[in-house]
Amino acid sequence: MESKLIFEDKEIIIPGAKNSILPIIAASLLIRGKTEIKNVSKLEDIQNMLKIIIKLGVKVEFSNGNLLINASKINNLNPDSKLVKKLRASFLIFGPLLFRNKQVKIAKPGGCSIGSRKIDLHLKGLKSFSCSIEENDFIKGNLLNPVPVNLELDYPSVGATEHLISLATVVPGISKLSNAAIEPEVLDLVEFLKSAGANIKQKGTTFVIKGADLHSTSFTPIPDRIFTATWIVTALLKRKNIQLINFNYDLLGSFFETLKELGVLIEVNNGIINIICPKELKPFYIKTGSFPAFPTDIQPFMAVLACTIKGKSIIEETIFENRFAYVNELNKIGANIKIEGNRLIINYSKLTGGTVIGKDLRGTMALYLASLISSKPFIIKNKNYINRGYENFEVEL
Ligand code: EPZ
């Protein structure tokens, strides 16, 4: 059954999670057969990822939310640099291509500029599979005889975990990856790989993977929890209630627990979650972190919400060094937010008109949410960042 949200008498289907679908598309290159992914929305990041694999010779059909990938044949070994630089997740095709072709040369990935976004953990992990790597403007790799790994990640990076688990599923022998990320999107990728025949066992933050041949599969990803949180914050900004149907509470557990501290009432009953907003919300403190801590992707929306709450709220960002680019923009239209190192101190303020500039996907969405509470219309430059993660947002929101 699909997951939905109901707000102001509108019923909206929650799309499959972007951050599950991107690594799944990369992992589909490990399958010499067909991959079907359901409930996929036409996001810019997904379309760019598909353009990258189409140029490699992979067959793709994408209509009505149904994505069909056939990676039986890959006949071009040079991923298009211009496209690769458009999104961070493009680098996740490096491992699968090495497995398929033994040799790969790929440009360094791009993506939202929210921090240094290194790839050292990916490369260190790939080297343990006996991959030789040369790094300059491009990353060149050779992987003749992959060996299984026993690896402890220095940091539970989401992307590195996804990259290394995917490769380990097809490397003969037993690999072990500890201190791994366990974000819901990582576990969803694991479920996808299992549906294609992978042998993966998880205990806490450790994954044990026995190499196997992967086969064709059909998979429905989890609902997008960041999309869902965007709508919940929209409702709270309007001091209105919102209902989620067939949505697993744990996907947004720390977010829901924080909302309770704000005074929001959350009723969970048989897969239905009622989020009931009081007239006045209380100021809050949040600290972002790896799952199950508060998700960094929701932090910018909470800053906008804090502007509507009397008292001082604090947001501490621990994942990315540069995820406050939207703050100066909010201050330009009347917000009262101070940046102190990796903390934001946010006081109640009335937002007015002006011009703001989007700098990354979630930060630009935060500016868009600000328009819901501002007393005058304002101009958002670079609003196209939002298309990376939301389809038809202007119509829907
Ligand atoms: C994923 O990015 C998501 N992107 C991000 O969502 C999300 O914010 C992030 O995980 C954290 O949850 C996708 O899934 C496509 P990381 P990823 O590797 O994989 C450092 C959105 O808006 N690091 O866990 O890039 C890195 O610099 C996006 O939808 C290294 O130092 O996240 C960062 O500070 C934005 N070396 C921290 O780890 C590495 O080799 C977390 O990065 C890899 C990462």
Side-chain angles (χ1 to χ4, degrees), residues 118-132:
K118 292 185 283 187
I119 48 171
D120 56 326
L121 298 170
H122 296 243
L123 299 184
K124 194 173 163 190
L126 290 165
K127 283 178 188 161
S128 326
F129 286 97
S130 98
C131 171
S132 66

Side-chain angles (χ1 to χ4, degrees), residues 18-20 22-23 45 88-89 92 112 114-123 155-160 162 181 183 185 225-226 289 296-297 318-321 323 361-362:
K18 162 179 92 70
N19 290 345
S20 287
L22 292 171
D45 275 8
R88 166 88 176 171
L92 299 178
C112 284
I114 49 180
S116 61
R117 308 201 81 181
K118 292 185 283 187
I119 48 171
D120 56 326
L121 298 170
H122 296 243
L123 299 184
Y155 174 84
S157 148
V158 171
E162 292 166 341
E183 264 64 9
E185 294 78 12
R225 62 191 173 119
I226 310 302
T296 167
D297 293 340
T318 74
I319 305 282
F320 292 106
E321 314 88 328
R323 213 167 194 179
L361 160 59
R362 306 301 172 188

Side-chain angles (χ1 to χ4, degrees), residues 249-260:
Y249 184 92
D250 295 339
L251 288 178
L252 281 172
S254 59
F255 172 62
F256 288 137
E257 291 307 309
T258 300
L259 293 187
K260 286 180 190 167

Side-chain angles (χ1 to χ4, degrees), residues 139-193:
I139 318 273
K140 280 191 204 161
N142 269 289
L143 183 63
L144 290 176
N145 294 306
V147 294
V149 297
N150 187 348
L151 193 71
E152 180 176 344
L153 285 178
D154 298 331
Y155 174 84
S157 148
V158 171
T161 302
E162 292 166 341
H163 207 164
L164 302 175
I165 288 183
S166 298
L167 184 57
T169 57
V170 289
V171 171
I174 295 179
S175 292
K176 189 172 166 189
L177 188 68
S178 45
N179 194 30
I182 51 163
E183 264 64 9
E185 294 78 12
V186 174
L187 302 188
D188 206 33
L189 169 70
V190 165
E191 287 310 311
F192 163 76
L193 290 164

